[in-house]
Amino acid sequence: MATYESATSRVARMLTMVPWLLHRQGIDLATAAAELGVSESQVVEDLQVLFLCGLPGHYPDDLIEASWEGGRVFVGNADTIARPLRLGRDEALALIVALRALADTPGLAERDAIDRALAKLESAAGETARAAAAVRVDLEQPADDGIAAAVRAGLTERRRLHLRYTSGSRDETTERDVDPLRALSVDGRWYLEGWCHRARGVRLFRLDRIEAAQVLDVPATPPEDLPERAVGSGVYRPDPDDQAVTLDLDPGSAWVAEQVPAEEVEPRGDGSVRMVLRVADPRWLIRLVLREGGGVRVVEPAALVDAVQEAARTALSGNLSPGPALD
């Protein structure tokens, strides 16, 4: 898959690179590239950018000096950033809390490296590390360590996964092959993002809804240049072609709003909830309404209200059919 370095990532690397090179004048270009984890050509490109960087004024003496003639790197006139960047108190606190939460993740292969980094950070942070003990991040963990291990293997070895997955919005279990892209935690839940060969698109799979995961002897081959999914506002992306349904939930059935993906959730003072969701197959929703015994009521559309009432009459008459399917 093609890789792309953002401007933010490059600036962060160069801010670290300048003080590092200042204290290693004349270092071999190949050695510098290896230590910095980039190619020699990337180091040269970064040094060329440094010619345009410096203090305001735009005079020659205001700009950073850099040369790499003869394969040796020299950097000068950069005393203002000669010291490496340091973490502030809040930054150190956030990093310590995040590392502790990550270390608690089951099936984590790099736990030793995280423990070593955490120990060094806590030692350097001093009082800040003790303050971090009062902060805890609770992430819902995968229900099965074996599934977490299979997902990790698929990601690290870049191999295709075969999943048996239960969809929350369709109330169905399907078998599908997925090329894993990344694992992420959003709103306290763990997800696998991958290219689904069944849907022919990028999909998110909640790890606690994966019933089985098998690592296949097939390389993962997702399409190149897939856009990264933004998850800052949550992971739910409704299909505009699905039917919009409004539900009223009694307090005892308010769990539905927490478990079922929704477009809108409106809690009320008495503990009840009104929610709007999109439904691809109304049959599962009809079964849910019947199962909750009046705790979930369909407000609209009218056709679905009628279908629920018909299904309830049929159930009361002794025929437990879930009712007619709707388009």
Side-chain angles (χ1 to χ4, degrees):
M1 182 182 299
T3 59
Y4 170 76
E5 183 182 33
S6 67
T8 301
S9 175
R10 187 176 186 186
V11 169
R13 183 182 68 251
M14 293 176 66
L15 286 173
T16 302
M17 182 181 74
V18 171
W20 189 83
L21 290 174
L22 279 169
H23 291 86
R24 292 165 177 82
Q25 297 290 353
I27 187 172
D28 180 73
L29 179 60
T31 302
E35 292 289 335
L36 293 169
V38 296
S39 65
E40 292 184 38
S41 61
Q42 183 63 66
V43 173
V44 171
E45 289 181 14
D46 290 345
L47 292 173
Q48 290 173 333
V49 171
L50 289 178
F51 278 125
L52 307 176
C53 302
L55 298 173
H58 308 290
Y59 293 103
D61 290 343
D62 295 324
L63 301 179
I64 295 175
E65 300 170 353
S67 67
W68 54 97
E69 293 181 4
R72 299 284 177 178
V73 180
F74 295 88
V75 174
N77 202 31
D79 293 341
T80 53
I81 54 173
R83 297 179 62 185
L85 294 176
R86 296 182 180 275
L87 292 175
R89 183 181 184 280
D90 291 344
E91 293 170 325
L93 175 63
L95 187 55
I96 290 172
V97 171
L99 285 172
R100 286 177 178 173
L102 185 60
D104 290 336
T105 302
L108 190 67
E110 297 80 10
R111 188 180 304 276
D112 289 344
I114 291 175
D115 288 342
R116 290 194 300 271
L118 185 56
K120 291 179 181 178
L121 185 59
E122 288 175 336
S123 176
E127 188 65 32
T128 297
R130 286 186 283 274
V135 182
R136 180 177 178 83
V137 177
D138 289 323
L139 298 176
E140 179 177 294
Q141 306 296 358
D144 188 293
D145 283 357
I147 290 175
V151 169
R152 185 185 67 247
L155 287 166
T156 57
E157 300 172 17
R158 297 185 178 181
R159 292 164 62 187
R160 188 168 298 169
L161 298 172
H162 180 76
L163 306 180
R164 185 165 72 246
Y165 184 75
T166 299
S167 170
S169 61
R170 293 178 181 268
D171 194 27
E172 64 177 357
T173 301
T174 57
E175 304 272 345
R176 49 183 82 206
D177 288 346
V178 175
D179 291 337
L181 298 174
R182 60 172 174 163
L184 62 158
S185 177
V186 182
D187 298 331
R189 299 186 186 278
W190 283 100
Y191 294 83
L192 168 67
E193 182 180 43
W195 174 265
C196 177
H197 288 265
R198 183 175 185 267
R200 303 302 302 169
V202 176
R203 295 292 185 270
L204 282 174
F205 303 94
R206 262 179 54 175
L207 261 61
D208 62 337
R209 289 180 178 161
I210 298 177
E211 297 187 4
Q214 177 186 0
V215 183
L216 302 178
D217 291 327
V218 178
T221 56
E224 294 186 357
D225 301 324
L226 288 174
E228 187 170 288
R229 185 189 188 105
V231 295
S233 58
V235 299
Y236 176 56
R237 299 293 186 274
D239 189 333
D241 295 331
D242 291 344
Q243 187 177 43
V245 178
T246 301
L247 302 178
D248 276 345
L249 314 176
D250 285 348
S253 298
W255 63 268
V256 175
E258 300 176 358
Q259 296 294 323
V260 178
E263 285 190 317
E264 299 177 20
V265 176
E266 179 188 344
R268 294 170 174 172
D270 60 357
S272 64
V273 176
R274 170 162 287 192
M275 67 180 295
V276 178
L277 68 159
R278 289 194 176 271
V279 179
D281 184 354
R283 289 176 295 182
W284 79 266
L285 183 59
I286 293 174
R287 289 195 293 270
L288 171 66
V289 172
L290 297 181
R291 197 162 55 231
E292 287 300 297
V296 177
R297 294 176 298 282
V298 179
V299 178
E300 56 184 5
L304 187 54
V305 174
D306 294 340
V308 170
Q309 292 175 348
E310 178 62 26
R313 285 192 292 267
T314 301
L316 290 173
S317 69
N319 184 346
L320 297 181
S321 168
L326 301 179
D327 294 328

